[in-house]
Amino acid sequence: MANTPKNIMLGKGVFKVDDQLIGLTRDGGNFSLEYENRVINADGDRGTVKGRVVRETATPKLQISHLELLTDFEKLHPGMKKTTSGSSTVITGTGIIDDSVDYHTVEFVGETKDGRDVSIKVENAINLENISLDLKEKNDVIDSITFTGCYEENASSIDEPWSITYANATA
């Protein structure tokens, strides 16, 4: 009897910022965890020794290739403001990161091959990347946004600010 795969996560899905869809993307995005581990070395060690590795940092990131550039541009980039008057809108920089509006919960919501929901979420996330928009003839402009998950100032827990949640397979 052949084994039917159940835990294949498909790449199709949607991106949300603060539980709101952000609009069209092209080439989707990428979830990554950047770990910094410190190896405690001692004289005579022939390599890394079990029990002497300390995780120093864990940095979750969710990168999104945003196609609808003018949708929520000021929300996706910190230190921005949008002013609308008459028939035009102007986006400018404020020079200040506002802790109350520039940190977000970002999420990719997709599914498994057998139709179960999957969510990848990064908490207290801020986009710290520079703005770089390729303006090329016969090409659409893509805004590449990378949200980095942040820890609370006086967090008592060492829990990392990210999660992957999925519905359990039924028998």
Side-chain angles (χ1 to χ4, degrees):
M1 181 183 295
N3 188 9
T4 304
K6 295 183 185 279
N7 290 317
I8 297 172
M9 184 174 157
L10 303 178
K12 69 177 183 177
V14 296
F15 291 94
K16 295 181 177 183
V17 176
D18 298 327
D19 216 25
Q20 300 294 314
L21 295 173
I22 69 158
L24 297 176
T25 60
R26 177 174 296 155
D27 295 327
N30 177 273
F31 172 70
S32 64
L33 281 168
E34 297 175 5
Y35 289 120
E36 182 181 319
N37 299 305
R38 181 170 50 90
V39 176
I40 302 169
N41 293 310
D43 291 342
D45 287 350
R46 296 175 50 94
T48 303
V49 176
K50 181 180 177 180
R52 286 200 262 138
V53 179
V54 178
R55 174 139 306 150
E56 296 289 350
T57 64
T59 305
K61 293 186 176 186
L62 186 61
Q63 182 273 330
I64 305 167
S65 298
H66 192 216
L67 180 60
E68 287 189 88
L69 178 75
L70 301 179
T71 301
D72 291 331
F73 189 82
E74 74 288 349
K75 180 178 181 178
L76 303 175
H77 296 276
M80 300 272 169
K81 70 176 179 178
K82 177 170 81 172
T83 307
T84 302
S85 64
S87 61
S88 64
T89 299
V90 177
I91 299 171
T92 57
T94 64
I96 299 169
I97 292 177
D98 184 338
D99 292 349
S100 65
V101 297
D102 288 332
Y103 289 86
H104 307 280
T105 297
V106 294
E107 181 177 24
F108 172 79
V109 179
E111 63 183 41
T112 62
K113 184 176 181 295
D114 60 349
R116 292 176 286 132
D117 292 336
V118 177
S119 165
I120 299 174
K121 189 180 287 188
V122 179
E123 303 285 344
N124 297 317
I126 186 168
N127 175 20
L128 297 175
E129 300 296 320
N130 293 322
I131 296 171
S132 179
L133 305 174
D134 289 332
L135 309 171
K136 297 178 182 176
E137 185 176 355
K138 298 183 182 178
N139 255 345
D140 304 313
V141 178
I142 303 292
D143 185 18
S144 183
I145 309 149
T146 303
F147 285 99
T148 300
C150 300
Y151 294 82
E152 293 289 342
E153 178 73 32
N154 295 313
S156 59
S157 171
I158 60 169
D159 289 340
E160 298 170 7
W162 65 274
S163 65
I164 298 174
T165 305
Y166 56 92
N168 294 329
T170 56

